[in-house]
Amino acid sequence: CGGSVSDSSGMLQSPNYPGSYPNDADCVWNIQVENNFRVTLTFRDIAMQSGTCQHDYIEVYDGPLHSSPLLGRFCSGSFPTYVSSSNMMSVRFHSDSRYSFRGFQAHYSSIPSGHNTTIQCLPDYMHVVVSRRYLRSQGYSAESVTLNDSRCRPTLTSQEVVFNIPYNGCGTVQEENNDTINYSNTIRVASSGYIIKRKKNINLHVSCKMLRKSWQQVMYAAEDTVEVNEHQFGKYDMNITFYDSPAFQRQVRSSPYYIDLNQNLYLQACLRSSDPNLKVVVDTCVASPDPHDFNTLAYYLVRNGCPRDSSYATFRSPSSHFARFKFNAFEFMSRHPSVYLKCQMLVCRLGDYSSHCYRGCSSRAKRDISSAEEEVDVVVGPIQLHGGAAPSGSAG
Protein backbone atom coordinates (compact mmCIF):
# COMPACT_ATOMS: atom_id res chain seq x y z
CA CYS A 1 0.00 0.00 0.00
CA GLY A 2 1.03 3.60 -0.40
CA GLY A 3 3.56 4.86 -2.93
CA SER A 4 4.19 7.87 -5.15
CA VAL A 5 1.23 9.45 -6.96
CA SER A 6 1.75 11.98 -9.77
CA ASP A 7 -1.53 12.10 -11.73
CA SER A 8 -3.44 15.40 -11.62
CA SER A 9 -6.33 13.68 -9.82
CA GLY A 10 -7.18 10.29 -8.41
CA MET A 11 -8.41 8.16 -5.53
CA LEU A 12 -6.73 6.96 -2.34
CA GLN A 13 -8.14 4.18 -0.20
CA SER A 14 -7.06 1.86 2.58
CA PRO A 15 -5.88 -1.67 1.66
CA ASN A 16 -8.75 -4.05 0.72
CA TYR A 17 -11.30 -1.21 0.76
CA PRO A 18 -14.29 -1.58 1.08
CA GLY A 19 -13.29 -4.79 2.84
CA SER A 20 -11.55 -4.77 6.20
CA TYR A 21 -8.04 -3.33 6.20
CA PRO A 22 -5.19 -5.56 7.51
CA ASN A 23 -3.65 -5.27 10.95
CA ASP A 24 -0.24 -3.61 11.44
CA ALA A 25 -0.47 -1.61 8.21
CA ASP A 26 1.60 1.52 7.74
CA CYS A 27 1.00 3.10 4.32
CA VAL A 28 2.32 6.43 3.04
CA TRP A 29 1.12 8.06 -0.18
CA ASN A 30 3.23 10.93 -1.58
CA ILE A 31 1.03 13.02 -3.89
CA GLN A 32 3.06 15.29 -6.18
CA VAL A 33 1.26 17.32 -8.87
CA GLU A 34 2.62 19.85 -11.39
CA ASN A 35 4.74 22.82 -10.36
CA ASN A 36 2.73 25.85 -9.23
CA PHE A 37 -0.35 23.73 -8.53
CA ARG A 38 -1.70 22.72 -5.13
CA VAL A 39 -3.24 19.46 -3.90
CA THR A 40 -6.80 19.37 -2.59
CA LEU A 41 -7.81 16.18 -0.75
CA THR A 42 -11.39 15.32 0.26
CA PHE A 43 -12.35 12.25 2.30
CA ARG A 44 -15.55 10.50 1.19
CA ASP A 45 -15.71 7.60 3.65
CA ILE A 46 -14.08 6.92 7.03
CA ALA A 47 -14.79 3.77 9.07
CA MET A 48 -12.06 3.06 11.61
CA GLN A 49 -11.58 2.40 15.30
CA SER A 50 -12.74 5.67 16.87
CA GLY A 51 -11.78 7.27 20.13
CA THR A 52 -8.40 8.89 20.78
CA CYS A 53 -6.98 7.76 17.39
CA GLN A 54 -4.01 6.10 19.10
CA HIS A 55 -4.50 2.70 17.43
CA ASP A 56 -5.76 3.25 13.88
CA TYR A 57 -5.53 6.68 12.27
CA ILE A 58 -4.96 8.80 9.16
CA GLU A 59 -2.42 11.64 9.03
CA VAL A 60 -2.21 14.34 6.33
CA TYR A 61 1.03 16.33 5.91
CA ASP A 62 1.63 19.55 4.00
CA GLY A 63 4.55 18.12 2.00
CA PRO A 64 6.99 15.23 2.65
CA LEU A 65 6.13 13.09 5.67
CA HIS A 66 9.21 13.69 7.84
CA SER A 67 9.78 17.38 7.18
CA SER A 68 6.37 19.03 6.82
CA PRO A 69 3.62 20.36 9.10
CA LEU A 70 0.84 17.99 10.13
CA LEU A 71 -2.45 19.23 8.66
CA GLY A 72 -4.62 16.73 10.52
CA ARG A 73 -4.81 13.40 12.33
CA PHE A 74 -8.18 11.65 12.65
CA CYS A 75 -9.96 8.29 12.70
CA SER A 76 -13.67 9.15 12.60
CA GLY A 77 -16.12 12.02 12.40
CA SER A 78 -16.99 14.31 9.50
CA PHE A 79 -15.28 14.06 6.12
CA PRO A 80 -12.53 16.73 6.06
CA THR A 81 -10.97 18.52 3.08
CA TYR A 82 -7.31 19.63 3.04
CA VAL A 83 -5.45 21.94 0.63
CA SER A 84 -1.64 21.92 0.46
CA SER A 85 0.50 25.05 0.36
CA SER A 86 2.66 23.43 -2.32
CA ASN A 87 2.48 20.89 -5.10
CA MET A 88 3.01 18.03 -2.65
CA MET A 89 1.02 16.36 0.12
CA SER A 90 1.59 13.13 2.08
CA VAL A 91 -1.09 10.85 3.52
CA ARG A 92 -0.28 8.18 6.12
CA PHE A 93 -2.61 5.33 7.16
CA HIS A 94 -1.72 3.31 10.25
CA SER A 95 -3.44 0.33 11.90
CA ASP A 96 -2.48 -1.69 14.97
CA SER A 97 -2.82 -5.41 15.74
CA ARG A 98 -6.31 -5.26 17.25
CA TYR A 99 -9.56 -4.46 15.44
CA SER A 100 -10.13 -4.00 11.72
CA PHE A 101 -12.74 -1.92 9.89
CA ARG A 102 -13.69 -0.76 6.40
CA GLY A 103 -11.09 2.01 6.34
CA PHE A 104 -11.23 5.12 4.20
CA GLN A 105 -11.61 6.46 0.68
CA ALA A 106 -10.48 9.92 -0.44
CA HIS A 107 -10.31 11.86 -3.71
CA TYR A 108 -7.52 14.27 -4.60
CA SER A 109 -7.12 16.80 -7.42
CA SER A 110 -4.78 19.64 -8.39
CA ILE A 111 -5.73 23.31 -8.44
CA PRO A 112 -3.70 26.29 -9.76
CA SER A 113 -1.73 28.22 -7.14
CA GLY A 114 -2.98 31.52 -8.53
CA HIS A 115 0.11 33.58 -7.69
CA ASN A 116 1.73 36.15 -9.95
CA THR A 117 5.22 34.76 -9.33
CA THR A 118 6.29 31.17 -9.96
CA ILE A 119 9.46 29.21 -9.25
CA GLN A 120 10.85 25.89 -10.45
CA CYS A 121 13.94 24.17 -9.08
CA LEU A 122 15.57 22.76 -12.20
CA PRO A 123 18.77 20.64 -12.17
CA ASP A 124 21.13 23.57 -12.84
CA TYR A 125 19.24 26.68 -11.80
CA MET A 126 16.16 28.27 -10.26
CA HIS A 127 13.66 29.37 -12.90
CA VAL A 128 11.67 32.31 -11.53
CA VAL A 129 8.96 34.14 -13.47
CA VAL A 130 7.41 37.42 -12.28
CA SER A 131 4.30 38.77 -14.00
CA ARG A 132 4.79 42.27 -15.50
CA ARG A 133 1.08 42.87 -15.03
CA TYR A 134 1.48 42.18 -11.32
CA LEU A 135 4.44 44.59 -11.09
CA ARG A 136 2.44 47.32 -12.84
CA SER A 137 -0.51 46.76 -10.50
CA GLN A 138 1.83 47.39 -7.56
CA GLY A 139 3.34 50.47 -9.19
CA TYR A 140 6.67 48.96 -10.26
CA SER A 141 8.36 48.63 -13.65
CA ALA A 142 10.03 45.53 -15.03
CA GLU A 143 13.28 47.46 -15.45
CA SER A 144 13.53 47.88 -11.66
CA VAL A 145 13.84 44.12 -11.01
CA THR A 146 17.39 42.89 -10.25
CA LEU A 147 19.27 40.14 -8.41
CA ASN A 148 21.75 40.44 -5.56
CA ASP A 149 24.38 40.33 -8.28
CA SER A 150 23.21 43.08 -10.63
CA ARG A 151 25.35 41.65 -13.45
CA CYS A 152 22.89 38.76 -13.77
CA ARG A 153 20.05 40.31 -15.70
CA PRO A 154 16.59 38.85 -16.31
CA THR A 155 14.99 38.21 -19.69
CA LEU A 156 12.12 40.61 -20.31
CA THR A 157 9.18 39.50 -22.43
CA SER A 158 5.96 41.36 -23.12
CA GLN A 159 4.27 39.55 -20.21
CA GLU A 160 7.01 38.40 -17.82
CA VAL A 161 10.35 39.01 -16.10
CA VAL A 162 12.27 35.71 -16.26
CA PHE A 163 15.29 34.82 -14.12
CA ASN A 164 17.40 31.67 -14.53
CA ILE A 165 19.46 31.80 -11.34
CA PRO A 166 22.36 29.30 -11.19
CA TYR A 167 23.02 27.39 -7.97
CA ASN A 168 26.73 28.23 -8.12
CA GLY A 169 26.69 31.85 -9.31
CA CYS A 170 24.89 35.22 -9.44
CA GLY A 171 25.24 35.64 -5.68
CA THR A 172 23.45 32.38 -4.82
CA VAL A 173 24.33 31.38 -1.25
CA GLN A 174 24.76 27.70 -0.34
CA GLU A 175 24.35 26.48 3.20
CA GLU A 176 23.72 23.20 4.95
CA ASN A 177 21.83 22.56 8.17
CA ASN A 178 20.36 19.53 9.93
CA ASP A 179 17.42 19.20 7.53
CA THR A 180 18.34 20.68 4.15
CA ILE A 181 20.93 21.74 1.64
CA ASN A 182 19.83 25.27 0.77
CA TYR A 183 20.50 27.43 -2.28
CA SER A 184 19.12 30.97 -1.89
CA ASN A 185 19.13 34.32 -3.65
CA THR A 186 17.19 37.59 -3.53
CA ILE A 187 15.28 39.33 -6.31
CA ARG A 188 15.01 43.05 -5.59
CA VAL A 189 12.27 45.32 -6.90
CA ALA A 190 13.28 48.95 -6.35
CA SER A 191 10.77 51.75 -5.92
CA SER A 192 11.08 54.58 -8.43
CA GLY A 193 11.48 58.18 -7.28
CA TYR A 194 14.73 60.04 -6.78
CA ILE A 195 13.71 62.42 -3.98
CA ILE A 196 10.69 60.91 -2.26
CA LYS A 197 9.93 57.17 -2.16
CA ARG A 198 6.30 56.38 -1.46
CA LYS A 199 6.70 52.61 -1.66
CA LYS A 200 8.88 50.10 0.11
CA ASN A 201 11.41 48.20 -1.94
CA ILE A 202 10.45 44.55 -2.39
CA ASN A 203 12.94 41.81 -1.50
CA LEU A 204 11.75 38.54 -2.96
CA HIS A 205 13.75 35.74 -1.38
CA VAL A 206 13.92 32.58 -3.48
CA SER A 207 15.46 29.30 -2.42
CA CYS A 208 15.67 25.66 -3.37
CA LYS A 209 16.02 23.32 -0.42
CA MET A 210 17.06 19.70 -0.83
CA LEU A 211 15.21 17.66 1.74
CA ARG A 212 15.84 13.96 2.20
CA LYS A 213 13.22 13.03 -0.37
CA SER A 214 12.77 16.07 -2.60
CA TRP A 215 13.64 19.61 -3.57
CA GLN A 216 11.56 22.20 -1.79
CA GLN A 217 11.20 25.63 -3.28
CA VAL A 218 10.37 28.59 -1.10
CA MET A 219 9.59 32.19 -1.92
CA TYR A 220 8.65 34.96 0.45
CA ALA A 221 8.58 38.75 0.35
CA ALA A 222 10.00 41.21 2.85
CA GLU A 223 7.63 42.85 5.34
CA ASP A 224 5.46 45.78 4.21
CA THR A 225 4.93 44.08 0.86
CA VAL A 226 2.39 41.69 -0.56
CA GLU A 227 3.20 38.33 1.02
CA VAL A 228 4.13 35.56 -1.40
CA ASN A 229 4.60 32.06 -0.02
CA GLU A 230 5.26 29.54 -2.76
CA HIS A 231 6.57 26.02 -2.15
CA GLN A 232 7.25 23.49 -4.87
CA PHE A 233 8.84 20.06 -4.91
CA GLY A 234 10.90 18.48 -7.67
CA LYS A 235 13.38 15.68 -8.21
CA TYR A 236 16.98 15.22 -9.19
CA ASP A 237 17.68 14.70 -12.88
CA MET A 238 19.30 11.24 -13.08
CA ASN A 239 19.77 8.73 -15.88
CA ILE A 240 21.47 5.35 -16.35
CA THR A 241 23.12 4.34 -19.61
CA PHE A 242 24.61 1.06 -20.87
CA TYR A 243 28.17 1.12 -22.28
CA ASP A 244 29.82 -1.48 -24.49
CA SER A 245 33.09 -1.84 -22.53
CA PRO A 246 34.74 -1.01 -19.18
CA ALA A 247 36.35 2.01 -20.89
CA PHE A 248 32.91 3.72 -20.75
CA GLN A 249 33.50 5.51 -24.05
CA ARG A 250 30.68 4.27 -26.31
CA GLN A 251 27.08 4.28 -25.16
CA VAL A 252 24.70 1.49 -26.16
CA ARG A 253 21.92 3.36 -27.94
CA SER A 254 19.82 0.41 -29.18
CA SER A 255 16.60 -0.42 -27.35
CA PRO A 256 15.97 -3.15 -26.50
CA TYR A 257 19.61 -3.99 -25.79
CA TYR A 258 20.27 -7.51 -27.13
CA ILE A 259 22.92 -9.40 -25.19
CA ASP A 260 24.26 -12.92 -24.65
CA LEU A 261 23.92 -14.97 -21.48
CA ASN A 262 26.81 -14.28 -19.09
CA GLN A 263 27.88 -11.24 -21.11
CA ASN A 264 29.38 -8.39 -19.08
CA LEU A 265 27.04 -5.39 -18.91
CA TYR A 266 28.48 -1.97 -18.07
CA LEU A 267 26.34 0.85 -16.75
CA GLN A 268 26.88 4.47 -15.75
CA ALA A 269 24.52 6.56 -13.63
CA CYS A 270 24.76 10.31 -14.18
CA LEU A 271 23.45 13.07 -11.90
CA ARG A 272 22.77 16.32 -13.76
CA SER A 273 23.32 19.16 -11.30
CA SER A 274 25.36 22.35 -11.31
CA ASP A 275 26.30 21.79 -7.65
CA PRO A 276 29.81 20.25 -7.67
CA ASN A 277 29.54 19.28 -3.99
CA LEU A 278 27.26 16.28 -4.52
CA LYS A 279 28.13 12.59 -4.71
CA VAL A 280 26.05 9.80 -6.25
CA VAL A 281 26.33 6.06 -5.53
CA VAL A 282 24.34 2.94 -6.42
CA ASP A 283 22.34 1.88 -3.37
CA THR A 284 20.01 -0.84 -4.71
CA CYS A 285 19.58 -2.43 -8.15
CA VAL A 286 16.88 -5.03 -8.81
CA ALA A 287 15.95 -6.88 -12.03
CA SER A 288 12.44 -7.90 -13.10
CA PRO A 289 10.69 -9.03 -16.32
CA ASP A 290 7.94 -6.46 -15.61
CA PRO A 291 8.90 -2.73 -15.65
CA HIS A 292 5.93 -1.98 -13.38
CA ASP A 293 6.47 -4.74 -10.80
CA PHE A 294 9.80 -5.19 -9.03
CA ASN A 295 8.39 -7.30 -6.20
CA THR A 296 6.75 -10.47 -7.62
CA LEU A 297 9.75 -11.71 -9.65
CA ALA A 298 12.78 -9.80 -8.44
CA TYR A 299 16.52 -10.48 -8.57
CA TYR A 300 18.76 -8.14 -6.56
CA LEU A 301 22.20 -7.26 -7.94
CA VAL A 302 22.95 -4.94 -5.00
CA ARG A 303 20.79 -4.01 -2.00
CA ASN A 304 21.45 -1.23 0.52
CA GLY A 305 24.98 -0.97 -0.89
CA CYS A 306 25.64 -4.71 -0.37
CA PRO A 307 26.36 -6.77 -3.53
CA ARG A 308 23.92 -9.70 -3.88
CA ASP A 309 25.20 -11.00 -7.23
CA SER A 310 28.77 -12.32 -7.39
CA SER A 311 29.40 -10.62 -10.73
CA TYR A 312 28.41 -7.14 -9.50
CA ALA A 313 31.33 -4.69 -9.25
CA THR A 314 31.89 -0.93 -9.24
CA PHE A 315 34.46 1.20 -11.11
CA ARG A 316 36.26 4.44 -10.31
CA SER A 317 34.42 7.38 -11.82
CA PRO A 318 35.84 10.60 -13.31
CA SER A 319 33.43 12.73 -11.28
CA SER A 320 31.38 12.46 -8.09
CA HIS A 321 28.31 12.99 -10.32
CA PHE A 322 28.90 9.58 -11.97
CA ALA A 323 28.56 6.06 -10.60
CA ARG A 324 29.87 3.17 -12.72
CA PHE A 325 29.16 -0.52 -12.21
CA LYS A 326 28.83 -3.84 -14.04
CA PHE A 327 27.29 -7.30 -13.77
CA ASN A 328 26.89 -10.40 -15.93
CA ALA A 329 23.70 -11.33 -17.76
CA PHE A 330 22.28 -14.07 -15.59
CA GLU A 331 20.24 -17.25 -15.82
CA PHE A 332 17.15 -15.27 -14.86
CA MET A 333 17.19 -14.06 -18.48
CA SER A 334 16.89 -17.53 -19.98
CA ARG A 335 13.34 -17.80 -18.60
CA HIS A 336 12.04 -14.33 -19.56
CA PRO A 337 12.16 -12.57 -22.95
CA SER A 338 12.93 -9.13 -21.47
CA VAL A 339 14.51 -7.89 -18.27
CA TYR A 340 14.33 -4.40 -16.76
CA LEU A 341 16.50 -2.90 -14.05
CA LYS A 342 15.31 -0.54 -11.34
CA CYS A 343 18.18 1.16 -9.55
CA GLN A 344 17.89 3.33 -6.48
CA MET A 345 20.63 5.93 -6.46
CA LEU A 346 21.70 7.83 -3.38
CA VAL A 347 22.75 11.50 -3.55
CA CYS A 348 24.81 12.90 -0.64
CA ARG A 349 27.03 15.85 0.13
CA LEU A 350 30.57 15.36 -1.13
CA GLY A 351 32.88 14.70 1.80
CA ASP A 352 30.08 13.82 4.25
CA TYR A 353 31.71 10.65 5.54
CA SER A 354 28.82 9.96 7.90
CA SER A 355 26.46 9.45 4.94
CA HIS A 356 25.65 6.10 3.34
CA CYS A 357 27.48 7.20 0.18
CA TYR A 358 30.72 6.63 2.08
CA ARG A 359 29.66 3.84 4.45
CA GLY A 360 29.13 1.31 1.68
CA CYS A 361 27.40 -1.97 2.52
CA SER A 362 24.83 -1.64 5.28
CA SER A 363 22.78 -4.36 6.96
CA ARG A 364 20.01 -1.93 7.96
CA ALA A 365 16.55 -3.45 7.53
CA LYS A 366 14.96 -0.13 6.65
CA ARG A 367 16.30 2.92 4.90
CA ASP A 368 17.64 5.35 7.47
CA ILE A 369 19.05 8.13 5.34
CA SER A 370 20.54 11.22 6.89
CA SER A 371 19.12 14.71 6.43
CA ALA A 372 21.51 15.49 3.58
CA GLU A 373 20.77 12.45 1.43
CA GLU A 374 18.16 11.77 -1.21
CA GLU A 375 17.02 8.60 -2.94
CA VAL A 376 16.33 8.63 -6.68
CA ASP A 377 14.78 5.69 -8.56
CA VAL A 378 15.68 5.03 -12.21
CA VAL A 379 14.30 2.23 -14.44
CA VAL A 380 16.39 1.07 -17.42
CA GLY A 381 15.76 -1.57 -20.08
CA PRO A 382 14.64 -3.78 -21.62
CA ILE A 383 17.55 -6.19 -22.00
CA GLN A 384 16.89 -9.17 -24.28
CA LEU A 385 18.87 -12.25 -25.22
CA HIS A 386 20.13 -12.61 -28.79
CA GLY A 387 17.97 -14.72 -31.04
CA GLY A 388 20.79 -17.23 -31.46
CA ALA A 389 23.39 -16.60 -34.15
CA ALA A 390 24.26 -13.00 -33.36
CA PRO A 391 27.80 -12.64 -31.99
CA SER A 392 28.46 -11.60 -28.40
CA GLY A 393 28.59 -7.86 -27.75
CA SER A 394 27.24 -6.83 -31.18
CA ALA A 395 24.55 -4.60 -29.65
CA GLY A 396 27.08 -1.95 -28.62
Side-chain angles (χ1 to χ4, degrees), residues 252 254-260 263 265 333 337-338 382-387 390-396:
V252 175
S254 58
S255 182
Y257 179 20
Y258 289 97
I259 54 92
D260 292 301
Q263 176 181 331
L265 304 180
M333 292 204 59
S338 298
I383 316 165
Q384 295 184 0
L385 288 174
H386 276 303
S392 174
S394 62

Side-chain angles (χ1 to χ4, degrees), residues 100-116:
S100 185
F101 297 84
R102 186 171 68 247
F104 78 91
Q105 185 181 71
H107 178 266
Y108 79 89
S109 60
S110 56
I111 55 175
S113 295
H115 285 312
N116 297 291

